[in-house]
Amino acid sequence: KRNLLIKKQKELISLESKALSLSKEKQRILDQIKQIKQEIEILKAEENPYIKLEEERKGKLKKLTAKLNRYNKALKDIEEEMAYLEIWEDIVKASKHELFLLMLNELETRINSFLDFFSLDFDLSFVLNNQKLDIEITRGGIKFPFKALSGGELQLVKLSCLLGIYEMVKVRIGESIKFICFDEPLQHLDRYKRAKFFELIRIFAQDMLVFVIDHHQDIGSDYDMLVMLEKENGISKLRKIDLLT
């Protein structure tokens, strides 16, 4: 899906670039047509009684008329091609939009699997309203605003979103990710939810390095290494390093 989305993005850029080029060429032709028409009007007003000069005038008029016809044909061709490009641009935009929705659906599924892991009793969904992406929460069949969640629930939604995006990136790059870093993931979490988070971390730590930055001090047994910092006079200083394995 990601490759298709990138392909559609490139197609759209190519179409927009071609449309811009055609638009410039169209304006150039319009300017030429205007100039030729002005020259024709001047020549028509310059009738000359002398045969030689009159023949020259008619010859110029004939050439300008032929040139005008060529430019008019070129203008018609450009307008037809621009109309064709507009149709394709609409098609590409629509398919790109569909791919984007498919990726959102996949992300929803991954996020909700992590919400289930944390034993939360609601589902998350993405909703497009007037080209704006909103988050909707459903609990017991009832929908309510994202902002109605408690602090702990919000924190777990953020973590689930981060992990859902991580999984999608991992699948698409086709390579293992070497490390993941969590910045204050335990905010607003009770002891049970912290335990669930550590359980998840132990699973992730089987395949990569996991860094957790937090203010809680009762989490040392869940890590291979603990680095403690203390702030003195506004400056963070190293307090100790414990190897726990």
Side-chain angles (χ1 to χ4, degrees):
K1 293 172 189 173
R2 179 178 177 273
N3 290 336
L4 282 173
L5 192 61
I6 292 173
K7 181 181 177 182
K8 293 298 179 184
Q9 180 71 31
K10 288 181 179 178
E11 287 179 6
L12 186 58
I13 292 172
S14 176
L15 287 171
E16 289 174 344
S17 176
K18 191 168 184 180
L20 180 61
S21 177
L22 286 172
S23 180
K24 290 180 179 178
E25 178 63 13
K26 178 182 177 180
Q27 187 57 51
R28 187 187 71 80
I29 290 174
L30 285 171
D31 291 340
Q32 289 289 331
I33 289 173
K34 183 179 178 181
Q35 182 180 342
I36 291 171
K37 284 182 176 180
Q38 288 174 346
E39 291 180 17
I40 288 174
E41 291 300 318
I42 292 171
L43 282 172
K44 284 182 177 180
E46 288 181 349
E47 289 189 19
N48 197 294
Y50 298 100
I51 295 175
K52 186 177 180 180
L53 293 175
E54 180 63 15
E55 288 299 321
E56 288 180 0
R57 187 186 70 83
K58 287 182 178 180
K60 288 181 180 179
L61 188 59
K62 186 177 179 180
K63 289 180 180 179
L64 285 174
T65 302
K67 193 174 182 181
L68 178 62
N69 290 335
R70 289 198 301 272
Y71 275 121
N72 279 328
K73 185 180 182 303
L75 179 62
K76 183 180 179 182
D77 291 342
I78 285 177
E79 287 175 342
E80 288 178 355
E81 189 170 359
M82 288 181 73
Y84 176 77
L85 282 177
E86 286 176 5
I87 293 172
W88 269 108
E89 192 172 338
D90 289 341
I91 292 172
V92 171
K93 284 180 178 178
S95 59
K96 181 183 171 185
H97 179 73
E98 290 173 4
L99 286 169
F100 176 67
L101 292 179
L102 284 173
M103 292 187 71
L104 276 186
N105 289 334
E106 181 183 346
L107 182 58
E108 279 180 18
T109 301
R110 294 183 183 279
I111 290 172
N112 284 317
S113 69
F114 285 110
L115 293 178
D116 289 340
F117 178 86
F118 288 122
S119 303
L120 295 173
D121 61 348
F122 58 82
D123 291 323
L124 177 147
S125 59
F126 295 107
V127 181
L128 278 174
N129 291 320
N130 297 322
Q131 297 186 339
K132 179 183 177 184
L133 186 64
D134 292 326
I135 295 176
E136 200 170 67
I137 303 298
T138 305
R139 174 181 279 148
I142 300 174
K143 296 180 180 180
F144 58 95
F146 178 68
K147 294 180 181 179
L149 295 174
S150 68
E153 289 172 333
L154 280 172
Q155 182 67 3
L156 291 174
V157 166
K158 292 175 184 177
L159 287 171
S160 297
C161 288
L162 170 66
L163 295 169
I165 293 170
Y166 151 76
E167 281 202 336
M168 287 187 68
V169 171
K170 181 180 178 182
V171 169
R172 277 157 178 75
I173 64 175
E175 298 179 7
S176 60
I177 296 177
K178 304 302 181 185
F179 70 91
I180 188 169
C181 183
F182 296 91
D183 185 16
E184 299 188 21
L186 305 179
Q187 278 188 326
H188 310 296
L189 300 187
D190 57 29
R191 186 174 294 275
Y192 172 74
K193 291 295 190 292
R194 291 205 299 272
K196 292 293 289 182
F197 174 75
F198 297 144
E199 181 183 340
L200 187 64
I201 288 302
R202 284 192 288 272
I203 296 172
F204 276 82
Q206 294 173 7
D207 301 316
M208 71 175 76
L209 288 172
V210 181
F211 297 92
V212 178
I213 304 166
D214 210 279
H215 294 292
H216 286 271
Q217 297 187 20
D218 57 346
I219 56 176
S221 61
D222 290 284
Y223 295 88
D224 297 327
M225 178 184 289
L226 176 66
V227 178
M228 297 190 71
L229 302 174
E230 270 190 353
K231 187 165 283 188
E232 293 181 9
N233 299 321
I235 300 174
S236 295
K237 295 184 178 180
L238 181 65
R239 178 180 169 187
K240 67 174 181 178
I241 299 176
D242 288 338
L243 297 177
L244 305 170
T245 56

